[in-house]
Amino acid sequence: MSDTGLIYITSAANNTGIGTEAWSNPSNAVTDDSDYAHATGSIVTHISNYLIGTFTHGLVSTDTVQGIEIAYKRGSPTSNNYCDEESIRLVKNGTVSGSTTVGGNAIPASSGWSSTYGGPTDLWGLTFMGSDTIGLAIAVDLKDKNEVVRIYSMRMTIYYTAAGDAYAGGHKKIKTVFIGC
C-alpha cells in the first residue's frame, strides 16, 4: 500500500448542509499559518455550518483508496471548553457523505492540531477511486453566545493501492520484461 504523505486543502468554503452559524473567511483555512476561518455563536447552543476543505491528491483513476486519515488545526480563544466537535465527515465528489467519525470532543482555547481521525484502512463507510474528488467537512457546536471557533488548516493522508502495485492484496505479482530481444 502507498500513501500520499500529508496533503493540505487547496480550497475551502462554507456549506449550509448542517447548522445555522456560517463560517467567516473560509479561504483563510487553506494555508497553515496564523490566518483562520471562524464561526461565532449568535445565541446559546448553535451548530455551525460545515467548513468544507477540498484536497488535490494526484491519484489516477485506476488507484484504489484503502483508507483516509485527517486532522485539522483549531482553537477556541473565547472558550472555557464550551465548544465541541459536532460532525467530521468526508466529502466525495462534492457531497458530504459517509459516517461521522467523531462528535463531542472539546475544542481547546489554544490552537493546535486535533487528534488524528481515520487511518490506513478506514474509508468512513464509503468507497473511493483515484478519480474521486475528496474533501473534509467540519461542523462545531457553539454552546454559548459569542463563542468563537477558529480553523487554521486541514490536512489528510490517503492510503491507496496503485494499479499494478507489486504487492496489491498481499500477493506478490511477477512481471516479465524482455529487454533487447
Side-chain angles (χ1 to χ4, degrees), residues 129-158:
M129 294 303 292
S131 56
D132 291 323
T133 302
I134 302 173
L136 176 61
I138 299 172
V140 297
D141 186 352
L142 302 157
K143 295 188 175 199
D144 203 0
K145 185 176 182 178
N146 298 320
E147 286 292 326
V148 175
V149 171
R150 297 174 175 172
I151 304 287
Y152 295 87
S153 187
M154 299 178 200
R155 66 185 183 197
M156 173 182 292
T157 299
I158 301 172

Side-chain angles (χ1 to χ4, degrees), residues 55-134:
F55 296 83
T56 302
H57 51 67
L59 301 180
V60 298
S61 62
T62 54
D63 292 340
T64 303
V65 176
Q66 302 295 324
I68 296 174
E69 183 175 277
I70 67 95
Y72 68 104
K73 192 173 188 179
R74 78 284 191 256
S76 182
T78 60
S79 179
N80 292 313
N81 290 326
Y82 291 141
C83 298
D84 295 332
E85 296 171 335
E86 176 67 23
S87 177
I88 298 179
R89 298 175 69 188
L90 294 181
V91 179
K92 180 179 178 180
N93 297 324
T95 302
V96 177
S97 307
S99 54
T100 295
T101 298
V102 299
N105 295 328
I107 296 174
S110 61
S111 66
W113 287 99
S114 68
S115 297
T116 299
Y117 302 111
T121 60
D122 189 346
L123 286 170
W124 305 53
L126 301 167
T127 58
F128 292 94
M129 294 303 292
S131 56
D132 291 323
T133 302
I134 302 173

